[in-house]
Amino acid sequence: MKLSQSFTKTMKTAPADEASVSAKYLLRAGYIYKEMAGVYDYLPLGMRTLNKIIQIIREEMNAIGGEELSLTALQTKEVWDATDRWSDDVMDIWFKTKLNAGGELGLAPTHEEPLTRVMKSYISSYKDLPVYAYQFQTKFRNELRAKSGIMRTREFVMKDLYSFSKDRAEHDKFYEECAQAYIKIFNRLGIGNDTYRTFASGGAFSKYSDEFQTLCEVGEDIIYLDREKGIAVNEEVYNDEVLADLNLDKKKLEKCKAAEVGNIFTLGYRFSDALDLCFNDEDGKRQKVFMGSYGIGPSRVMGVIAEKLSDDKGLVWPEEIAPFKYYLVGIGEEAEKKAAELYEKAPEDIIFDDRESARTGEKFADADLMGIPYRVVISDKTLAENKVEIKDRKTGETKLLTLDEFTSKLA
Ligand code: ATP
Ligand code: MG
């Protein structure tokens, strides 16, 4: 990316109504644009980071047998009537609209019902099971309170996987595999150390559900954390009985604020029953499919990471999800020419700040604000020694590399 050719610009200030650090920095650095409360556009830098988060999640879902698809957001009443979830009294976050051709449409806040119906066309025998289908898809939720920038919005991307199993045992096995995949994902995303598997309320088919909660001051959940054991209990189920059940000692628990970045839930027969999703077992007997749902909010994850890993100068992305790895600046005429040459070797990895209008100090400030992992500077002075200066955004350490050493990193 050449900054002289990019339409985005950094800003000195953020909108006054943004309270969270992450929202302020993401807006100022040109990652997102605010349309209205709880509704944001993703600009080129923001898209790149969001897509990198999505790609990590995709790889881990594929590794446990997930098949990616994409369902429509446009929903008709009848499929949701089958589970009694069309009514605004039951689900108060629907966005609905009239269809010109008659009738009503809803914008999907989640996808259990439509996917269960899709599966009726494909699942009829035990040989068709299990099925693990997932998507990265836009959800619409008329949330009462939008909060903390992209952490709680009214339109957001969700990774939602749904499992269709022949029985509870098959379900339980996958449930645990998915929990392990989530741990890998949050490790790869750089928030593994602060993300805890958390027991939360379970519904009709399971005592608990598993939430993945990341410690975060602007998070909306309260969890009770046993650091030694590495597990937590959500406030919503925190009581003496549950603690005894989980073998947790009240005195060892820490009360923390956290943000739910993902969750997994045993749905059981709730949806297969209502929509009549059945299969014939080995004995030719008709059985209901046993289901589960597995969500992660990539945009909330992005907000949480921005919130937690930033400092007083701006964002600090882990390398795996930074929009670009290097922020390249040339100081002086010869150095700028050399910088342009280096840029051409790896335009996918480098933001080249070739703006004529910006002073070096401004370029450095923008590199920090954008949170690019390595700032690379070539000046006429370093060039005389055939070197570049590399500064680590996270640690602030600088070192000199020869041009060859740096070029081999690019290749
Ligand atoms: P919450 O309790 O925070 O509202 P939820 O229980 O409604 O979340 P799910 O419906 O299971 O969550 O959604 C799965 C994941 O999608 C969540 O773990 C979270 O990461 C993300 N998510 C949920 N609501 C939002 C939102 N309004 N904006 C951004 N991400 C969201
Ligand atoms: Mg919600």
Side-chain angles (χ1 to χ4, degrees), residues 155-191:
E155 176 188 343
F156 62 97
V157 182
M158 192 197 287
K159 186 284 294 177
D160 43 334
L161 185 148
Y162 302 90
S163 65
F164 300 84
S165 304
K166 67 173 187 291
D167 55 24
R168 169 130 224 163
E170 189 172 73
H171 166 82
D172 286 349
K173 187 165 165 282
F174 181 77
Y175 188 100
E176 194 48 39
E177 276 168 24
C178 195
Q180 295 308 316
Y182 274 28
I183 291 168
K184 276 192 204 157
I185 288 167
F186 296 121
N187 281 336
R188 286 182 66 185
L189 290 171
I191 49 173

Side-chain angles (χ1 to χ4, degrees), residues 313-362:
K313 296 194 187 77
L315 300 161
V316 183
W317 296 113
E319 226 174 280
E320 275 223 62
I321 60 165
F324 293 90
K325 190 169 172 189
Y326 301 106
Y327 192 102
L328 179 62
V329 178
I331 308 171
E333 210 172 310
E334 281 309 302
E336 280 201 62
K337 270 190 217 151
K338 191 74 202 171
E341 259 173 54
L342 284 175
Y343 167 73
E344 291 304 335
K345 290 187 203 290
E348 276 301 305
D349 289 342
I350 298 175
I351 295 184
F352 180 26
D353 194 345
D354 60 341
R355 293 173 297 174
E356 275 174 20
S357 57
R359 285 173 287 111
T360 302
E362 289 173 63

